[in-house]
Amino acid sequence: MAPVSLILVAVLAYGLYHGVDAFLAAENPGGKPVSGQDNVKTTVTALTLVGAVLAGLYAYRKQLLDEGASHRADATQLRFVP
């Protein structure tokens, strides 16, 4: 699973890099070529934002699972067995 994820991230980053290049070239009214450094900075910023959102979703889901496990443990401990 990890190699597939790495390949998917690499393809996504490659596509994002070229998408950013096309976007910055279209937004450049002077016709001056866009530097590779600007492309890399914008791509890394976008990937960081995506990573932060995914990390937040992962933490939220983990919290929900932990709360569910805690509730089940409490219910098991507090169950009255005559």
Side-chain angles (χ1 to χ4, degrees):
M1 184 69 175
V4 173
S5 298
L6 289 175
I7 291 171
L8 182 64
V9 168
V11 168
L12 185 65
Y14 179 78
L16 184 62
Y17 177 82
H18 286 289
V20 165
D21 185 41
F23 177 74
L24 291 177
E27 292 293 319
N28 191 1
K32 181 180 172 188
V34 179
S35 71
Q37 185 177 10
D38 289 338
N39 290 343
V40 170
K41 281 196 280 186
T42 305
T43 301
V44 168
T45 302
L47 288 175
T48 302
L49 176 64
V50 169
V53 168
L54 291 176
L57 288 173
Y58 175 76
Y60 176 72
R61 175 151 171 78
K62 186 175 179 189
Q63 178 69 27
L64 287 179
L65 290 174
D66 288 344
E67 286 177 4
S70 175
H71 289 302
R72 283 189 300 279
D74 289 344
T76 302
Q77 188 176 21
L78 298 175
R79 185 176 17 182
F80 176 71
V81 179

